[in-house]
Amino acid sequence: MTAILSFVLVVETAAVELLLRRFGLPDVPRLAVLALDVSSVLGVLGVMIVCARRPHVVSQDGLRLRYGPFFTLDVPAELIASACLDRRFDEKRLLSLSDGRPSARLRLSAFTL
C-alpha cells in the first residue's frame, strides 16, 4: 500500500510541477511547492524503510511486535504458550484479531490490557 502511495506522490509531484510551469508561476512559490512535494515522497519512503528495518523481535524476555516507529507491543515470555510464523503479505490492516488470519499466530496463556 505504501509503495502505491509513493508512486502516486511521485506522479503528483511531476504533474504539479508541469502545471505550475505551464501557468507561469514565479520560481520561488513553484520551488516551495516542489520542495514540499519532494519531502512528502521522502517521508513515505522513510516510513517504508523504517517498517522494513524494525521487524518483530523474539528474545528471552518475550516478543516485541512492531509496525515501524508507530506501534510497539511487548508480550512477556511467560504469557506466550506457543507461536507460529506465517509469511503472508496480503493483510488488509496492521492488526487483525477477529476476522481473517493474523500474520503471526500467538497462543497466550493469559490476556490482559
Side-chain angles (χ1 to χ4, degrees):
M1 182 67 178
T2 52
I4 294 170
L5 178 61
S6 63
F7 175 75
V8 169
L9 285 174
V10 168
V11 170
E12 182 262 344
T13 299
V16 167
E17 175 63 18
L18 291 174
L19 283 173
L20 293 180
R21 281 181 184 255
R22 173 73 176 102
F23 291 121
L25 197 68
D27 284 344
V28 173
R30 186 178 54 79
L31 292 176
V33 169
L34 180 63
L36 287 173
D37 280 345
V38 169
S39 69
S40 65
V41 171
L42 291 176
V44 169
L45 291 175
V47 167
M48 290 172 59
I49 291 169
V50 166
C51 286
R53 298 296 301 162
R54 289 181 50 99
H56 307 307
V57 177
V58 178
S59 68
Q60 295 292 335
D61 299 331
L63 176 66
R64 175 171 286 166
L65 301 171
R66 296 184 189 167
Y67 180 66
F70 307 114
F71 176 79
T72 300
L73 174 67
D74 290 324
V75 181
E78 56 270 1
L79 293 181
I80 300 173
S82 68
C84 176
L85 179 64
D86 188 5
R87 293 194 183 271
R88 292 183 303 113
F89 298 102
D90 61 346
E91 290 88 10
K92 303 293 185 226
R93 294 184 296 266
L94 169 63
L95 185 59
S96 173
L97 293 177
S98 60
D99 54 349
R101 294 182 346 194
S103 59
R105 287 178 283 182
L106 294 176
R107 181 173 297 146
L108 301 177
S109 57
F111 181 74
T112 59
L113 286 177

